[in-house]
Amino acid sequence: MRSAAASPGSLVGRDVELKVLDELIQCARSGRGGALVVRGEAGIGKSTLLARASAAASGVRVVQASGVQFERELPFGALHQLCVPVLDHLADLPSRHADALRVAFGLAAGTPDLFHIGVAALGLLAAAARVRPLLCVVDDAHWLDAASSKALAFVGRRVSAEPIAMLFALRPPVRDEMDELPGLDVTGLSDADARTVLAARRHLLRDEQVLHRLLAEARGNPLALLELPWADGLGPPDGTPVPNRIERSFRARLSGLPDDARLLLTVASADPTGDPALLWSAACLSGVDVSTASVSVAATGLVEFSTGVRFCHPLARSAVYRAASGPERQRAHRALAEVTNADTDPDRRAWHRAQASVGPDDGVAAELVRSAARARARGGAVAAATFLERAAELSQDPVSRVERTLAAAQATLVAGRPDRAAVLVRAVEHRVLDEFQLAHADLLRGQVAFQSHRDESGLEFMIRAGRRLAGLDPDRARRCFLDAIEMALLVGRASGVLDRVLAAARSVPVTVARPPDVLDALGLLESAGHRRAVPLIRQVLDGHDGTGWTEHPALALMLAAEIWDPHRHWAIVEWLVRTGRESGAPLLLRLGLAQTASYGALTADLGLAMASIAEEEAIADAIGGSPMPYHRIHLAAVRGRRAEALALFESVAVAAATSGSGLLTGNIDWASAVLHNGLADYPAALAAARRAVADGGLFLASFSLPELVEAAVRCGDSDTAADALGSLVDRAEASGTATGLGIAAYARALVTGSEEHYRAAVAHLERSPLSAYRARAHLVYGEWLRREGRRRDCREHLRTAHRLLSEAGLDAFARRAAVELRATGERPRQRSPHTYDQLTIQELHIARLVAAGATSGEVAAQLFISPRTVDTHLRNIFRKLGINSRRQLRHRPDLGAG
């Protein structure tokens, strides 16, 4: 805060903070961008620091935005506000990115490409920064709409290669996405600095004792020092929070104001746009004498009327709005709704109309429903939920009220607020509902229960929903049952699930002929076993147009793995990636990329695995989500680096325990068994494989059985090995695939010691794409031959195993092969470093794309970064690999690009 006692233009006690801000801006001037979150309580001086930094940013273009408490429901509102001054650079963007921003900002109709909005905003700001370095200032970021907050945090994480500085100011607690950015905590002024700030008001203080009390109560908050009514210092100490007292002091300025002035202030506080034309029109419509009222308002110092309407502090806006009576607020919102353009700003108009309503109004409710649809199309899940909830409150028609309440609950669930969704569902429990509505309510209850991770009633609710729908909409009922199975598997509550769901599914009448689907395949697998079910599973997976499983691709992937069919599994993966890219559906694409990474791990193509992981993580970051953990676990398991893998397993296990995901826990157990078998720590492998087989559902048990057989044989547990082998052979023979038969053959050879089985394993797996298992078959065959004293014979298989495993980077199993080769008197060849040993995961993906001929712009679009960032990574890649051109990169065989 400025003080008369301070030097001109300075801020008292903020030299350190100003230096940090100045350094950030200086870095942007020199082409190295960055972001900083300035954190602190209300009144602590965050806005003043940002204003000072903006004023001092010579040679830099400043663009600004501010979160507004009453506008948090409008998706991308704050992002639009920041980007408006640079929208003339839209033409510099790829058409897909420019279109995404136009739709998100309401400048064009359509559904935006949601997971490209962040990189599109980055591209827009970067284009403007090429003309002149850019300072992006976002004040009151704690009030940003959710969509803008995620997009701006995404940009903040990626501006390091651009001449862009980003400054955010917000009050704690920090939003999750902002917490990932560098932060600067602004705390209270020291006693000496606080005295300096108070120097200008010294004549109001009676004595030193009063001054001490004022300093203690303000706790160094500059706005509190300047705004609170310290005049006589009498009365008991005030224990309420400082921001509350500051707001109360702002409210005190309203006393004695004429009614017209108070109404003008109320209208200004209710309008988040700060548009003077809108304010004057609404005020006139409310009957305010603008010329005289504005003079009275200006005297309060609460608000400034210029090119924009700006309150002196967000707490001042809040104080004015709270001080108004209910009818006064409704009058203000009604006037604002009347003057807001219904064609260009329909959602804000609908919201003002909703705030102006004193009772049910079906017309306003219908308008809010339309706003919810627009918000949903623009990616505003939170906004859609808020609009629908208010629409339900304003609905007079009972049927519409119920429908909108259930729709609001569904939208709230999508927005990640299961607790609030549960409250909304409970609101309709005592109303008269038809069977469709009852089914919808039960389905929502089930989804809420599954997401709560502690409520075991989810499955029962979803089964009941399916039964209600059975006679009304059989197809929808079947989807409900499949949803129940999928959710139960994903959260690890699969025990007895198939039996219960499939029994309920049998009650669904077959009204018309239809092709078999995933539910039929699961039913036959559960009732008749693998030998009977495999033909139907293949029929479902092959479906003439793919419609048999596309609504539940995760289950289809599990079924393909369950029958040891990597070719059909890969066909589904390719469909997921292709469809995800073409449709712009991030969840489909992320699932496809995760499965591509797992496939790369099992086919010993670690470059493919790591590149897919890099892209999946980039997409997760683009949409503000967390990376999927499964494929990273699988890669760590086969790679076999103990410390790295165990650290990952431990961190993921914590997440699994928190979320209650049994599928994730099962994956960790399988991965741990693979890792420890590779490390020859067979007791640890045995314990992990036992857990994986006991708790594993679809695919996990099948893939864990060979690990259990090997670990049990090495530990001398013949009974466990024999039991696991019986189950494995039954599944493999039913599948009839080279992969299943080969893995079962080497597991059988481990138990029986029959060379015939070892030979069969090698022969079968030569025809399997899962080369990691082919290498392991050679390894166990070579180990057996050496123990049989057949040194010459064993070397051939051990050399093959070592070559395949070391070239692929499967380090633990490769060391096992090396140990065996040394025992025969042969020195194994040391492998040359792989490209992926020298590069980060993101660098490897960029190198593969460039080696395949992609331009920097194409790489940037795929990884949601800027072309300048791609070029920065390329320089690092060239340095690490000892090359200096893209052409040399294309000739590196170990990249496996293409």
Side-chain angles (χ1 to χ4, degrees):
M1 286 291 168
R2 289 186 175 84
S3 165
S7 60
S10 68
L11 295 181
V12 175
R14 297 304 189 204
D15 292 344
V16 172
E17 291 86 348
L18 285 171
K19 183 180 179 182
V20 173
L21 269 57
D22 288 342
E23 287 175 351
L24 179 71
I25 296 168
Q26 181 55 42
C27 285
R29 286 194 192 99
S30 62
R32 293 176 289 110
L36 185 70
V37 178
V38 181
R39 303 178 294 233
E41 68 174 10
I44 205 68
K46 305 182 299 298
S47 298
T48 306
L49 282 168
L50 265 58
R52 174 68 168 75
S54 301
S58 61
V60 174
R61 183 179 184 181
V62 180
V63 293
Q64 297 178 314
S66 180
V68 180
Q69 186 176 8
F70 311 118
E71 204 169 41
R72 286 176 293 178
E73 289 77 20
L74 299 180
F76 298 111
L79 181 65
H80 185 202
Q81 186 186 152
L82 186 76
C83 292
V84 161
V86 296
L87 283 179
D88 53 328
H89 289 281
L90 274 175
D92 299 335
L93 302 185
S95 58
R96 185 172 190 176
H97 292 172
D99 290 344
L101 287 180
R102 288 190 186 97
V103 175
F105 295 160
L107 304 176
T111 301
D113 188 350
L114 289 178
F115 65 107
H116 281 98
I117 287 175
V119 74
L122 173 62
L124 184 69
L125 296 172
R130 283 196 291 271
V131 178
R132 190 180 181 190
L134 207 60
L135 171 61
C136 302
V137 178
V138 183
D139 205 355
D140 293 324
H142 48 279
W143 282 333
L144 293 177
D145 62 274
S148 291
S149 183
K150 289 179 180 179
L152 289 170
F154 172 87
V155 175
R157 292 192 293 272
R158 281 167 163 73
V159 294
S160 59
E162 306 293 341
I164 300 173
M166 300 193 75
L167 284 175
F168 300 90
L170 53 75
R171 301 176 199 166
V174 180
R175 300 174 76 145
D176 289 346
E177 55 268 15
M178 293 291 174
D179 198 32
E180 300 174 17
L181 300 176
L184 173 67
D185 290 311
V186 181
T187 55
L189 297 174
S190 67
D191 237 30
D193 288 331
R195 286 173 178 269
T196 302
V197 171
L198 280 176
R201 307 185 68 192
R202 186 71 189 207
H203 65 284
L204 297 176
L205 305 175
R206 295 185 173 183
D207 55 38
E208 189 68 17
Q209 185 176 359
V210 171
L211 176 62
H212 276 302
R213 174 184 153 190
L214 300 183
L215 291 171
E217 291 194 10
R219 298 197 300 274
N221 186 299
L223 189 61
L225 291 167
L226 295 179
E227 293 293 342
L228 295 188
W230 301 125
D232 57 16
L234 300 177
D238 192 340
T240 57
V242 171
N244 291 10
R245 283 184 278 156
I246 295 173
E247 186 174 326
R248 200 165 60 210
S249 75
F250 283 133
R251 198 178 303 174
R253 298 193 201 180
L254 303 175
S255 61
L257 279 181
D259 290 344
D260 268 12
R262 288 178 66 95
L263 184 55
L264 178 61
L265 274 170
T266 301
V267 174
S269 72
D271 170 39
T273 68
D275 181 352
L278 204 66
L279 172 64
W280 304 136
S281 298
C284 290
L285 191 64
S286 301
V288 173
D289 182 346
V290 170
S291 57
T292 57
S294 58
V295 173
S296 300
V297 168
T300 67
L302 290 171
V303 68
E304 175 187 343
F305 301 126
S306 59
T307 55
V309 180
R310 188 174 181 85
F311 279 83
C312 65
H313 194 275
L315 289 177
R317 177 192 290 273
S318 177
V320 169
Y321 192 78
R322 293 173 190 272
S325 65
E328 287 172 335
R329 293 180 201 165
Q330 289 154 6
R331 186 178 175 185
H333 282 293
R334 191 176 301 112
L336 286 165
E338 286 296 319
V339 299
T340 299
N341 191 304
D343 295 323
T344 61
D345 208 352
D347 298 333
R348 190 174 283 111
R349 179 178 183 275
W351 191 246
H352 280 310
R353 289 192 69 197
Q355 297 303 100
S357 299
V358 294
D361 188 323
D362 283 333
V364 175
E367 196 172 335
L368 287 169
V369 170
R370 291 191 290 273
S371 291
R374 285 189 292 268
R376 190 184 297 110
R378 292 167 60 195
V382 175
T386 305
F387 282 134
L388 285 169
E389 186 171 346
R390 183 62 174 150
E393 292 169 358
L394 294 177
S395 298
Q396 188 166 14
D397 175 59
V399 175
S400 297
R401 189 179 186 89
V402 168
E403 291 290 348
R404 288 164 180 167
T405 301
L406 292 174
Q410 184 73 61
T412 304
L413 199 59
V414 171
R417 300 172 60 202
D419 292 342
R420 181 60 190 166
V423 170
L424 291 170
V425 175
R426 284 198 293 272
V428 301
E429 282 181 348
H430 302 298
R431 297 184 178 275
V432 178
L433 307 180
D434 62 31
E435 283 297 303
F436 273 116
Q437 292 170 336
L438 288 169
H440 192 184
D442 280 338
L443 184 61
L444 288 168
R445 290 188 189 98
Q447 291 170 338
V448 166
F450 274 122
Q451 288 193 28
S452 74
H453 306 302
R454 293 175 297 277
D455 190 337
E456 298 293 331
S457 63
L459 182 66
E460 190 57 46
F461 278 123
M462 294 186 79
I463 289 175
R464 192 164 76 184
R467 283 178 171 149
R468 290 187 189 280
L469 291 168
L472 302 170
D473 189 339
D475 288 339
R476 191 171 164 192
R478 295 180 72 80
R479 289 197 297 273
C480 189
F481 292 134
L482 280 169
D483 286 342
I485 293 171
E486 196 165 53
M487 293 190 77
L489 287 170
L490 290 173
V491 301
R493 298 175 196 160
S495 178
V497 165
L498 282 177
D499 283 340
R500 294 173 61 191
V501 176
L502 293 170
R506 293 186 190 104
S507 66
V508 178
V510 180
T511 55
V512 294
R514 58 170 179 78
D517 61 13
V518 173
L519 196 60
D520 295 311
L522 288 169
L524 192 58
L525 180 65
E526 184 73 6
S527 63
H530 286 71
R531 294 184 187 273
R532 287 275 308 282
V534 165
L536 181 60
I537 291 173
R538 288 197 176 117
Q539 183 182 347
V540 168
L541 295 181
D542 290 344
H544 70 284
D545 59 359
T547 57
W549 53 263
T550 51
E551 288 189 358
H552 295 87
L555 282 177
L557 287 165
M558 291 180 186
L559 280 172
E562 180 72 16
I563 64 172
W564 292 103
D565 197 331
H567 298 289
R568 285 180 171 83
H569 186 276
W570 182 243
I572 299 171
V573 172
E574 287 186 311
W575 177 88
L576 284 167
V577 173
R578 182 177 63 255
T579 305
R581 292 198 196 284
E582 291 173 354
S583 66
L587 291 180
L588 277 184
L589 182 52
R590 290 178 65 197
L591 179 59
L593 290 169
Q595 290 295 319
T596 300
S598 295
Y599 185 82
L602 295 178
T603 56
D605 186 347
L606 300 200
L608 173 65
M610 295 169 72
S612 301
I613 287 171
E615 187 174 355
E616 190 278 325
E617 289 180 348
I619 295 170
D621 189 42
I623 63 174
S626 299
M628 291 182 177
Y630 299 96
H631 48 302
R632 289 185 289 136
I633 295 169
H634 300 169
L635 176 62
V638 300
R639 206 170 186 188
R641 299 181 176 185
R642 182 196 294 267
E644 182 182 308
L646 291 179
L648 175 63
F649 295 170
E650 183 177 355
S651 65
V652 175
V654 171
T658 302
S659 66
S661 174
L663 185 61
L664 187 50
T665 301
N667 271 269
I668 295 169
D669 288 335
W670 170 79
S672 183
V674 173
L675 172 71
H676 288 104
N677 271 333
L679 295 168
D681 184 354
Y682 299 114
L686 178 61
R690 282 184 192 276
R691 294 193 300 270
V693 170
D695 299 332
L698 285 175
F699 100 85
L700 264 180
S702 289
F703 267 73
S704 301
L705 285 169
E707 307 306 328
L708 181 57
V709 171
E710 181 167 6
V713 168
R714 304 301 190 194
C715 291
D717 188 344
S718 56
D719 290 342
T720 296
D723 288 345
L725 177 63
S727 182
L728 175 59
V729 168
D730 184 62
R731 295 166 187 242
E733 289 182 349
S735 78
T737 65
T739 300
L741 293 173
I743 292 173
Y746 88 62
R748 179 181 281 162
L750 284 168
V751 172
T752 65
S754 165
E755 186 168 7
E756 177 187 353
H757 295 145
Y758 281 117
R759 289 181 180 275
V762 169
H764 282 305
L765 289 169
E766 284 295 327
R767 297 182 289 112
S768 169
L770 303 192
S771 53
Y773 287 100
R774 179 166 71 250
R776 288 179 66 179
H778 282 287
L779 173 59
V780 295
Y781 189 10
E783 288 173 334
W784 178 81
L785 287 168
R786 191 182 73 78
R787 283 160 181 72
E788 290 292 307
R790 295 165 58 181
R791 179 170 295 192
R792 178 176 298 177
D793 293 338
C794 77
R795 283 176 176 164
E796 175 189 349
H797 291 283
L798 291 174
R799 286 190 201 114
T800 299
H802 185 261
R803 175 178 56 80
L804 291 172
L805 293 164
S806 61
E807 287 180 357
L810 309 189
D811 293 347
F813 286 105
R815 282 195 298 272
R816 253 179 68 180
V819 167
E820 293 290 328
L821 277 173
R822 291 191 192 97
T824 70
E826 181 171 323
R827 172 177 284 187
R829 292 179 56 189
Q830 291 289 104
R831 73 169 172 88
S832 300
H834 283 288
T835 300
Y836 47 73
D837 291 327
Q838 300 167 274
L839 305 179
T840 67
I841 284 182
Q842 188 178 53
E843 288 171 345
L844 176 68
H845 192 21
I846 291 171
R848 285 169 61 92
L849 291 172
V850 171
T855 65
S856 291
E858 290 166 343
V859 175
Q862 188 161 328
L863 283 182
F864 306 95
I865 52 181
S866 72
R868 285 171 61 105
T869 301
V870 173
D871 292 337
T872 299
H873 281 303
L874 274 175
R875 288 193 290 272
N876 290 333
I877 291 166
F878 292 165
R879 176 179 53 79
K880 290 180 179 181
L881 300 182
I883 60 177
N884 54 30
S885 73
R886 293 171 181 250
R887 183 177 56 80
Q888 289 174 292
L889 202 58
R890 293 189 188 103
H891 287 88
R892 289 196 60 105
D894 54 346
L895 280 174

